[in-house]
Amino acid sequence: MNTKSITTRLSYLCSAGLFAVSVAAAAAETTEIREHTRLMDHGDGHLMDMEGGMVMGQNKDKLPGGCSKIAEDAEITVRAGHKYAKEFPGTMYGFSEHEWHFKPCTRLTVHFINEDNIRHQWMMHGLPKYLYEKGMFHLEVTGPAKISGTLILPKEDRTYLVHCDIAQHMEKGMKGELIVGKGSGTFPTIPGVTDAAIPDNYTPGPDGKVQPAAVPPTAGAEKPGESTVKKPEKTGGVPSGSWFSGSLVLGIVLGIFGTPIALRIRRERLSGMTGGDVLAMVGGFLGHMIDITLGLISRLMHSARANKKK
């Protein structure tokens, strides 16, 4: 086989490979999103099917307290998937949006589209339980698929947490906030919206290695340059090495209240015993008491020596 023939075959193989890659990419881009519409109603706003679709907290007509009518009807479409995390370093999953604003008493329909081949959720916490039994509105679907649900937002100005409750999905980026009216503040670490509670640090240090994120010092932490030897705390209480400890107090209390009971039990046990048995039992009891007394004396002497050294 000559060089020209080999070159021709290699070109054919490369062309075939490029064609296969382009077909696969086109197929990935046109992945069919299956819509879950035939959900079984289990009552109390809980709908689900046997294919991984679920709605919890559906409410289309019950007005929250303080709402005399529906302020407006609104719809949003939220997409979820791995590709929405690409612009936020340190995350793995994400929503297409991470913050939403609405008027109080708005009837909101959420269309949730999961573009990953795993399960994702759009869950909203903190709703009034007199209207939403679990205190939440919850959309869940195994993708690629779409599911929709409706709720009526309360009258109060408040900021609600929205996230995916699958293990580690929120920590890896699937977190947002829904603001009703003026809201009630913000949540930390909302991708693209609020600063991280503990920011990641991707800046290389002098040696070229990535430095760990700075962690705020905890209460009582040593400052740079200070001794790391722990100093004894000055308190008005009894020193920890004192013989007058909680264990001793407990022993005294148990002795006072337990002696009558112990004597009664002893009398019951002595009935029918021979003189030798009684002497053996008394000898064992006295030996036990001597051991306890010697232990207490040893502890007192140790405590006295420790106090002298101070």
Side-chain angles (χ1 to χ4, degrees):
M1 186 180 295
N2 56 33
T3 304
K4 184 177 179 180
S5 177
I6 294 174
T7 304
T8 303
R9 292 193 176 190
L10 286 175
S11 64
Y12 287 157
L13 288 174
C14 290
S15 299
L18 290 173
F19 177 75
V21 170
S22 62
V23 169
E29 291 179 357
T30 58
T31 300
E32 181 181 358
I33 301 295
R34 184 164 47 92
E35 186 167 1
H36 290 250
T37 56
R38 302 179 65 180
L39 300 170
M40 296 176 285
D41 191 344
H42 294 268
D44 297 322
H46 187 185
L47 298 84
M48 64 182 299
D49 60 20
M50 301 300 293
E51 299 177 336
M54 183 186 299
V55 179
M56 292 179 65
Q58 171 108 309
N59 174 28
K60 296 183 177 181
D61 49 22
K62 297 178 183 177
L63 292 173
C67 296
S68 59
K69 62 178 182 178
I70 301 296
E72 64 179 8
D73 284 292
E75 294 187 30
I76 58 173
T77 297
V78 183
R79 294 178 176 269
H82 178 66
K83 73 177 184 181
Y84 298 105
K86 292 181 180 179
E87 61 178 299
F88 305 110
T91 64
M92 181 177 291
Y93 303 112
F95 295 129
S96 55
E97 299 175 61
H98 296 89
E99 187 177 66
W100 303 269
H101 295 258
F102 297 101
K103 296 178 181 178
C105 306
T106 294
R107 180 161 51 200
L108 174 64
T109 297
V110 181
H111 304 291
F112 182 53
I113 301 175
N114 177 5
E115 297 182 3
D116 285 343
N117 286 291
I118 58 174
R119 188 160 52 112
H120 282 317
Q121 300 168 343
W122 193 91
M123 181 186 294
M124 181 176 166
H125 284 279
L127 293 167
K129 292 187 177 181
Y130 69 84
L131 190 58
Y132 300 94
E133 183 181 359
K134 303 298 183 182
M136 69 175 69
F137 175 73
H138 174 111
L139 299 176
E140 177 178 325
V141 69
T142 301
K146 173 183 177 182
I147 195 165
S148 302
T150 302
L151 79 158
I152 301 175
L153 301 175
K155 173 70 174 179
E156 296 77 20
D157 294 328
R158 183 165 177 180
T159 303
Y160 294 91
L161 173 67
V162 174
H163 73 130
C164 178
D165 200 38
I166 305 299
Q168 289 297 312
H169 285 201
M170 179 178 75
E171 290 79 2
K172 295 300 182 182
M174 298 194 78
K175 182 178 181 182
E177 59 185 19
L178 189 147
I179 300 173
V180 176
K182 297 178 181 178
S184 56
T186 59
F187 291 97
T189 324
I190 304 295
V193 179
T194 58
D195 293 332
I198 302 178
D200 293 321
N201 185 356
Y202 297 97
T203 306
D207 57 356
K209 296 181 180 180
V210 176
Q211 301 299 306
V215 179
T218 57
E222 302 291 342
K223 296 181 180 179
E226 288 188 347
S227 171
T228 57
V229 178
K230 189 173 182 180
K231 301 175 183 178
E233 298 180 358
K234 296 181 180 180
T235 63
V238 180
S240 59
S242 171
W243 65 272
F244 193 74
S245 63
S247 299
L248 182 59
V249 173
L250 180 60
I252 294 172
V253 173
L254 290 176
I256 293 173
F257 291 98
T259 299
I261 300 174
L263 289 175
R264 187 181 65 192
I265 294 174
R266 292 291 179 185
R267 283 196 299 269
E268 293 175 354
R269 293 186 61 182
L270 288 174
S271 61
M273 294 177 64
T274 66
D277 293 336
V278 172
L279 289 175
M281 184 183 70
V282 171
F285 176 74
L286 289 175
H288 181 65
M289 293 303 297
I290 290 171
D291 291 339
I292 293 175
T293 304
L294 291 175
L296 179 59
I297 292 173
S298 175
R299 185 173 181 182
L300 288 172
M301 293 176 64
H302 178 76
S303 177
R305 286 197 297 268
N307 289 331
K308 285 182 180 180
K309 290 180 181 179
K310 293 180 181 179

